[in-house]
């Protein structure tokens, strides 16, 4: 049978059911979403590394004689206002990156094989199973979008 391109790399065969098409599409969307989150985390890791590198380079360029300016006339805990601003900027950058990279996000990218087998034991047909899985995957996709958008905005 001739195949038709259904988008997202899903090949539609003329004999396929709509439930199978929906299932295939939803699985592809979850896979793409997983890659999006991985990309956001990788970008945050790179930003954290660059922030550390910039801090290291500038601290070595200005030398110890200029660093003393940040501790001269201490305002609070041995630092001047300028020292606290530099420390806050660097720490804030690292903390936001770490939050994206380390923070445990409640996302679901995979469907449960145990649930599928349990549904088979209940007598669901393959078409009904694909329809249920497509609906669950669509719900997971929507929930994941909120979490990924929040990670991107951080």
């Amino acid at each position: 049978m001739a195949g038709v391109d259904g988008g997202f790399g899903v090949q539609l065969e003329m004999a396929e059911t709509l439930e199978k098409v929906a299932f295939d599409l939803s699985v592809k969307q979850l896979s793409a979403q997983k890659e999006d989150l991985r990309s956001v985390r990788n970008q945050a890791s790179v930003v954290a590394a660059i922030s550390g590198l910039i801090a290291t380079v500038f601290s070595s360029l200005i030398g110890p004689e200029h660093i003393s300016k940040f501790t001269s006339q201490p305002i609070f805990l041995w630092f001047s206002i300028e020292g606290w601003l530099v420390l806050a900027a660097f720490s804030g950058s690292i903390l936001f990156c770490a939050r994206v990279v380390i923070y445990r996000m409640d996302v679901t990218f995979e469907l449960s094989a145990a649930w599928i087998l349990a549904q088979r034991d209940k007598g669901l047909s393959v078409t009904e199973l694909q329809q249920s899985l497509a609906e669950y995957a669509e719900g997971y996709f929507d929930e994941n979008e909120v979490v990924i958008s929040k990670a991107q905005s951080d």
Side-chain angles (χ1 to χ4, degrees):
M1 280 188 192
V4 178
D5 184 18
F8 284 101
V10 176
Q11 266 318 93
L12 301 179
E13 294 295 328
M14 296 303 187
E16 285 187 358
T17 65
L18 290 177
E19 290 83 2
K20 179 163 177 21
V21 172
F23 169 73
D24 289 345
L25 180 62
S26 62
V27 168
K28 295 262 185 198
Q29 286 177 324
L30 286 176
S31 295
Q33 205 174 43
K34 185 177 186 177
E35 290 303 314
D36 288 347
L37 181 59
R38 182 175 290 136
S39 175
V40 168
R41 285 182 169 166
N42 287 341
Q43 290 170 4
S45 297
V46 168
V47 169
I50 289 172
S51 293
L53 180 64
I54 289 171
T56 302
V57 167
F58 280 117
S59 66
S60 65
L61 286 177
I62 62 174
E65 64 279 354
H66 296 293
I67 289 178
S68 64
K69 289 180 184 177
F70 292 115
T71 58
S72 66
Q73 301 171 355
I75 302 297
F76 182 69
L77 292 179
W78 306 284
F79 286 108
S80 63
I81 291 175
E82 295 87 359
W84 278 110
L85 289 174
V86 169
L87 187 62
F90 175 70
S91 299
S93 172
I94 296 296
L95 287 174
F96 279 116
C97 292
R99 181 174 178 218
V100 171
V101 174
I102 298 171
Y103 181 69
R104 184 185 175 319
M105 300 174 188
D106 289 328
V107 290
T108 305
F109 296 116
E110 286 88 19
L111 301 171
S112 171
W115 184 86
I116 294 171
L117 295 175
Q119 299 310 308
R120 180 194 63 186
D121 295 340
K122 291 180 182 177
L124 251 64
S125 70
V126 172
T127 302
E128 292 170 326
L129 182 63
Q130 287 174 334
Q131 180 180 354
S132 294
L133 287 171
E135 290 169 359
Y136 282 125
E138 185 68 25
Y140 294 150
F141 180 83
D142 293 340
E143 292 170 7
N144 294 346
E145 276 300 303
V146 172
V147 174
I148 292 172
S149 294
K150 187 175 187 308
Q152 287 174 331
S153 67
D154 284 347

